[in-house]
Amino acid sequence: DLYDNNYALVQSVNSESIKRFVNLIVNNGRMPTWLKFLNKLAVVGEGADIQPVRKNQALIIKGLIQNKAKTLTPSLYRTEEEWKECVDLMEGRDDISKDPKPGGLAYHIELIDLLYRCAKGENKPAEQLCQSEVPLEAIERGLCDKQTVPAVKKAYLNFLYESYVYLERPKRATPTDPRIWNILEKLADDLLNSQITMVAIGSVESNFRTSEE
């Protein structure tokens, strides 16, 4: 892709191009394809080499806010009742399908990723949007629910870090909120249990091979 790891090209994208892609969501439905492109425009690179593109982040945030009823609100699953809909979507796993559904799980994952990428680089307006649109209790619910699939957990964990922990100007005691530590403790327990399970499976497989020999 021309835009991958090409900061100069991504930086040169004008506001009309970003507005056009937001309008594609508004006029043609919540397809993850449109968000994938916006994700490429918010930051360049991955991992430690990621570079925020502040101008694009601001334009994307503006477009999402102006059209939130059609871009954000239906796919954030902020309440307990709405989360049940997301759990149903995770059973279908359209995010691994070649033909994802409009407003399906793939769109939800890309949307959380987009918000996280727009907040990357201690971007205060994006941090405020993220905290207002996706409250901490929604992140806690998504990360701690045993039914949450790894792809969703990864998106939520990145979002938690950029929107609630690594902030430009921490709001009161947000990064030390007890709920954040509760989330991290539960995730650590999940990781430990997964490692124990993998060791147990490996031991069973090893014993099975030994018995066959």
Side-chain angles (χ1 to χ4, degrees):
D1 193 301
L2 286 174
Y3 290 90
D4 287 344
N5 299 313
N6 193 333
Y7 188 88
L9 183 60
V10 171
Q11 176 73 22
S12 70
V13 173
N14 59 38
S15 60
E16 285 304 312
S17 296
I18 292 176
K19 189 182 296 183
R20 192 175 301 123
F21 268 85
V22 173
N23 285 336
L24 283 171
I25 300 171
V26 174
N27 299 322
N28 298 295
R30 289 171 289 138
M31 293 300 297
T33 305
W34 318 131
L35 293 182
K36 283 182 180 179
F37 183 71
L38 292 175
N39 265 315
K40 290 177 183 283
L41 300 184
V43 298
V44 175
E46 294 290 341
D49 298 323
I50 204 166
Q51 290 181 279
V53 185
R54 299 295 286 246
K55 172 181 70 74
N56 291 356
Q57 288 174 325
L59 290 169
I60 292 168
I61 288 296
K62 181 180 178 181
L64 293 176
I65 291 174
Q66 288 176 339
N67 300 278
K68 63 183 291 184
K70 291 191 175 181
T71 61
L72 291 171
T73 308
S75 293
L76 289 178
Y77 312 114
R78 304 192 305 177
T79 68
E80 195 166 344
E81 273 306 307
E82 290 170 347
W83 177 249
K84 291 176 184 176
E85 183 182 342
C86 190
V87 170
D88 289 340
L89 291 176
M90 285 189 280
E91 291 180 3
R93 292 304 306 273
D94 84 310
D95 60 306
I96 56 176
S97 167
K98 291 182 179 179
D99 188 26
K101 302 173 184 176
L105 185 64
Y107 185 89
H108 176 63
I109 293 171
E110 288 292 340
L111 181 58
I112 296 296
D113 267 342
L114 181 58
L115 293 175
Y116 139 68
R117 288 170 185 270
C118 283
K120 192 75 180 171
E122 298 176 277
N123 187 331
K124 186 180 179 183
E127 292 167 0
Q128 291 174 332
L129 171 71
C130 289
Q131 290 185 14
S132 65
E133 294 300 325
V134 189
L136 190 54
E137 53 265 29
I139 297 300
E140 182 177 17
R141 187 181 301 116
L143 283 171
C144 297
D145 192 328
K146 292 182 179 180
Q147 299 176 87
T148 304
V149 298
V152 174
K153 278 194 176 182
K154 178 183 177 183
Y156 275 40
L157 193 57
N158 285 334
F159 181 93
L160 174 70
Y161 181 71
E162 288 299 334
S163 304
Y164 284 96
V165 178
Y166 192 67
L167 305 176
E168 181 186 8
R169 294 177 186 173
K171 182 181 178 182
R172 296 189 294 275
T174 300
T176 56
D177 189 303
R179 289 172 295 178
I180 292 178
W181 292 104
N182 179 52
I183 293 168
L184 296 177
E185 285 173 3
K186 287 185 178 179
L187 289 175
D189 288 342
D190 285 348
L191 183 59
L192 179 61
N193 291 334
S194 296
Q195 290 174 331
I196 291 171
T197 301
M198 286 188 286
V199 169
I201 290 172
S203 176
V204 169
E205 289 178 341
S206 176
N207 291 338
F208 181 74
R209 283 196 297 271
T210 302
S211 64
E212 280 188 324
E213 292 169 359

